[in-house]
Amino acid sequence: MAMTMAAAKSELILGPVPFHWSVETVRDFYFRIADEAPIDAVYLGEVVCHKRAPFFAPYLDEVANRLKAAGKRVVFSTLAEVMLPAERRLVEAVCAMGGDLVEANDVSALSHLAGRPHHIGPYMNVYNEDTLKFLAGKGAVHVSLPAELPANALRALGAAAPALGVSLDVQVFGRVPLALSARCYHARLTGRTKDSCQYACEADPDGLALDTLEGTPFLAINGIQTLSHSCLNLAGELADLQAMGITGFRLSPHSCDMVAVAEIFRTVADDALGPDEAEARLAALDPPGPFANGFFHGAAGCIRTGADRAQA
Amino acid sequence: MTAEKLTRPELVCPAGTPASLRTAVDAGADAVYCGFQNATNARNFPGLNFTPAELQAAIAYAHDRGAKVLLAVNTFPPAGQTDLWKEAIDIGAGFGIDAIIVADIGVADYAARRHPGQRLHLSVQAGAASPEAIGFYCREFGVKRVVLPRMLTVAEISGLHQQIPCEIEAFVFGNIGMMAEGRCSLTNYATGLSTNMDGVCSPASQVQYEEDAERNLTTRLGGFVVDRFACGESAGYPTICKGRYHVVGRTGAYHAFEEPVSLNLSALLPDLMRAGVTALKIEGRQRSRAYVRNVVAAFRKAVDAVLAGRDPEIASLLALTEGHRETQGAFQGKTWR
């Protein structure tokens, strides 16, 4: 399979920053992505907590313009969990930015975007070809699939997508979003609540480690979100994904060198670097956790499988 | 309490088996909800749920006694396997089921197009918590009722009621997970079985109990330690969102998400009814018939008391939380978040 690359060039996508980084950090991060990273599309915006959104708002235009000037497509992502008036207002405001520039991460956003071209984010439950077809009929032109989908489901979706005029991406790097809650766990840890959080999540640029009682690293807390401790790495599965009709590979930002991460995935996608060498180089970049690829293989998401690949 | 005019809410009760269904109906359920013996529903556990023939008989039993039957087809079919879900919809609709509870957009679309007269409810697994999201499902699929995620306060439910074109069903009693329903892959991350696709949360086949020489108990899911209990301490079933963990900034074992508590909104019944909640849902398709009988009977009495202008007798429900402390969860106010 590894040698049968699809004819169309795969796109490298940078997902939104899921963490609460300082505004200077976020701005500089995107400036560097604009100037140096072989990324085709950048998804901007707050997807986890509406309370974080105002901080970066003053820099949004500047960052978006810099990324566009560097030839990157910019898409604005919406919140994954929408319930409170402030959350609803934020989603409405982002959706009002216009048509195919917006990625819906919940049905609230979809209700604003239906009828015009838009993107569907990985927090929407697009598990099957019927859902994909319905969403295409509402104007979806690109869908980022949920991280827990196994290869056989991805293959069926990849087969259905071209006739629907939809392109597909999957996350290939970074901690995997596993759950959302109405409660903020960073606030809980500090004896506060979501309303009085004082931005406790700011202290953990890759999420807060949650270890089992026998000391095994397990999960990571990010405000209302729970992520995997392990770091998804599908560098070894890129060729399979391409053959299935998945045309986009999504990197989820972390505090490690994401320009270097992007360069490695670009090289693998272009068939100029083998997965073992890619894995070794990625491991040297201090990723947020050990590599895992279980979901793709229909196994526990925490597992790293692949008999033909060297252990990192 | 003043004898104000309140609309009689529907008491929606769990039925894990045909026997439980009959028990719930006999105990005063206005409606029971159940599922087939496969991945099409979110309680896909061994020994639970209905064959098509059992469902047909159960519908007859319930209808003869004036109760409704709701069919949960509320998981998310993975691509290439949607036929099983379509079959579930077709069978339910063919039997004259009172409503089908759906979550997946593709499944909802199929049900709405293939069986245009069939009443649809939106499952809590769809995670629709805003007027925009709920309104979308109502517009697109003709959804008549939304089962609300357990994340809104009573005041927020009241506000929501004014802004949506469908009925509201709210959980009032039973086990509650901490994570937004339909958006949790924790079990799949630890075990390889998916809550959304396989209909299992913390499946028993992946649970391990280990007792050491001092009779301390360790519980595991998919190999991960979820909790440890000292000898004599009441041990809970290992569910990731109710486990104890080590985290920087805390010494000792820490309930990072939630204590093992059970939801009990019996004291809030009048408030929920005033907020416009049409249906009160009791969790527990995996529970015993005795549990179902006791909870349903207690809530039947409580709801009838509220309607008659009396204070509901709720003490008997406390004993049913089975060693768990009880909570009003998100319903009590914003500080829960």
Side-chain angles (χ1 to χ4, degrees), chain A residues 132-133 136 157-167:
Chain A
L132 190 68
K133 183 180 180 188
L157 285 159
L164 300 172
V166 177
S167 54

Side-chain angles (χ1 to χ4, degrees), chain A residues 80 108 125 148 178 180 183 230, chain B residues 130 180 182-183 185 188-189 257:
Chain A
S108 308
N125 281 349
E148 72 165 345
L178 296 177
L180 296 165
R183 173 180 281 173
S230 62
Chain B
S130 74
R183 315 181 89 178
S185 305
N188 197 7
Y189 182 68
F257 306 109

